[in-house]
Amino acid sequence: MAGTSSGIVAGLTVAAVATVGVLTFQASANVPGGPGTARASASPSAATSKAPRDRRNPAALPAGSGKGERVVYSVDDDRVWLVGPSGRPKRTFAVTPGTVDPAPGTYYVTSRANSVTGTDGTPIEHVVRFTSTGGVAIGFSAAVHGTAPDTESTARTGGIRESREDGEAMWEFATIGQQIVVIR
């Protein structure tokens, strides 16, 4: 009798493990890119071409930069827009990029740190990270002493530097899971 019971238990265990494996495969096949990964845009050309700009107002939110609440970062214009739920910018400001740019796409805030030392050795605050490229973390931050990044450095840096005031606004706006749209 003990042999029959252990055989039944073993059979049920094998069936359960196989079922979990099938369900895991099905779930992973239907999940879009997770936090920190870019998702394909609706239009492949949007990721490779520059988003349309208002020539009369260069600081205006570019058309085709997404919908709803989000942070929009233009790598070509070195500019950020904090966009509210209505789709209208709440704030826009210039930034100084690191030496490594994120690829155009949609990302999500994956981690934050109130204060750390940047890869260039500068004390920074209000760090909002959203991806990494080639092992380099990419995110927004403000230098504690307001210093600009060393443009002569050969270090690979992914810090997108903001003023302290803009860094505070980003910190308040871009919490974990907030959408970040990177455009050209």
Side-chain angles (χ1 to χ4, degrees), residues 12 22 73 106 148 165:
L12 289 173
V22 168
Y73 170 49
T106 300
E165 296 79 21

Side-chain angles (χ1 to χ4, degrees), residues 10 32-33 77 97 99 103 116 121 131 139 149 155 167 170:
D77 297 328
T99 60
V116 296
T131 192
M170 177 69 78

Side-chain angles (χ1 to χ4, degrees), residues 94-146:
V95 294
T96 303
T99 60
V100 178
D101 284 332
T106 300
Y107 302 88
Y108 298 90
V109 175
T110 56
S111 69
R112 296 169 17 120
N114 193 35
S115 64
V116 296
T117 300
T119 53
D120 62 356
T122 301
I124 56 176
E125 64 184 359
H126 299 132
V127 180
V128 176
R129 297 178 201 93
F130 60 92
T131 192
S132 64
T133 300
V136 176
I138 309 283
F140 303 101
S141 63
V144 172
H145 303 294

Side-chain angles (χ1 to χ4, degrees), residues 28-39:
S28 68
N30 294 316
V31 173
T37 59
R39 287 196 279 189

Side-chain angles (χ1 to χ4, degrees), residues 1-82:
M1 181 91 148
T4 304
S5 296
S6 63
I8 292 172
V9 169
L12 289 173
T13 302
V14 168
V17 169
T19 301
V20 168
V22 168
L23 292 174
T24 301
F25 173 76
Q26 288 176 339
S28 68
N30 294 316
V31 173
T37 59
R39 287 196 279 189
S41 58
S43 165
S45 63
T48 57
S49 65
K50 188 168 178 132
R53 302 297 201 272
D54 181 342
R55 293 182 191 269
R56 290 170 284 140
N57 183 3
L61 180 66
S65 63
K67 295 184 189 255
E69 186 174 84
R70 66 199 182 278
V71 174
V72 176
Y73 170 49
S74 170
V75 295
D76 285 355
D77 297 328
D78 297 329
R79 178 163 289 280
V80 168
W81 293 264
L82 304 181

